[in-house]
Amino acid sequence: METAEFYAEIKNWIADNAENDADSVLDGVCGMLRKDDRFGWVGFYVLSGDHLVLKNFRGEQTEHVRIKLGDGLCSLAILRDDIVNERDVKANTTYLACFPSTRSEIVVPVRWAGRPIGELDVDSDTVNAFDKTDEKFLQEIANLLSARVHSLL
Ligand code: SME
């Protein structure tokens, strides 16, 4: 499937599920993203004080269910208020390892009232899995989910 088509399907699904609760929508988005083999693990973290707390995810259980702000690529996306697209996690000393098979990771901020309140985090077993097109569409998806993530705070 074309990249644009793949993401359009997810965006349409979010619109079609506008009445559904946050957990089912965030879980559903994780599941839809994982249909693409590049998406090995997909999850949402929310900012709670000085920690990021894992909420909905699809993939293996991770030990990183609470991340102290300042640690890992997940924190960088919040502190920079920008996408972190690490093409080779093994070359990044900030990276917090969750799964031995992970080779690249993208973290996309979710914003509310102009400030980051959480993030969409994706681990891939492929080096350099995500490009600028993925960055654009994943940010659009994160923006569409802003109210859902805010409701989990
Ligand atoms: N690798 C992340 C930690 C979260 S796991 O990928 C699920 C990081 O460096 O912050």
Side-chain angles (χ1 to χ4, degrees):
M1 192 189 286
E2 286 292 316
T3 305
E5 198 185 328
F6 172 69
Y7 287 116
E9 197 173 287
I10 297 172
K11 291 200 281 186
N12 288 337
W13 184 88
I14 293 169
D16 291 345
N17 285 270
E19 302 304 320
N20 288 355
D21 63 90
D23 279 329
S24 67
V25 172
L26 296 177
D27 175 67
V29 168
C30 291
M32 290 188 83
L33 287 170
R34 283 187 85 234
K35 285 185 192 165
D36 183 317
D37 289 344
R38 293 178 302 152
F39 292 74
W41 185 96
V42 183
F44 289 91
Y45 285 89
V46 299
L47 193 54
S48 174
D50 61 355
H51 281 81
L52 284 160
V53 179
L54 181 61
K55 295 290 183 178
N56 306 83
F57 70 94
R58 291 276 189 105
E60 281 179 57
Q61 181 66 48
T62 169
E63 65 182 287
H64 297 299
V65 293
R66 275 176 69 82
I67 298 173
K68 191 163 179 4
L69 202 57
D71 295 345
L73 302 179
C74 285
S75 293
L76 270 191
I78 297 288
L79 296 170
R80 289 182 182 165
D81 188 11
D82 202 0
I83 292 175
V84 173
N85 186 1
E86 178 48 67
R87 290 161 174 78
D88 180 4
V89 294
K90 292 191 188 302
N92 189 317
T93 52
T94 306
Y95 168 70
L96 282 179
C98 284
F99 316 110
S101 57
T102 301
R103 297 306 317 277
S104 63
E105 177 167 7
I106 185 166
V107 193
V108 181
V110 176
R111 301 182 181 94
W112 181 260
R115 288 170 39 193
I117 56 162
E119 59 196 25
L120 169 60
D121 179 24
V122 183
D123 286 13
S124 180
D125 290 352
T126 307
V127 176
N128 199 10
F130 306 107
D131 61 15
K132 291 284 172 199
T133 305
D134 295 299
E135 290 181 18
K136 171 180 170 285
F137 282 116
L138 289 172
Q139 186 65 72
E140 286 176 11
I141 286 171
N143 294 349
L144 290 173
L145 297 170
S146 166
R148 305 316 184 111
V149 172
H150 183 258
S151 75
L152 300 180
L153 295 180

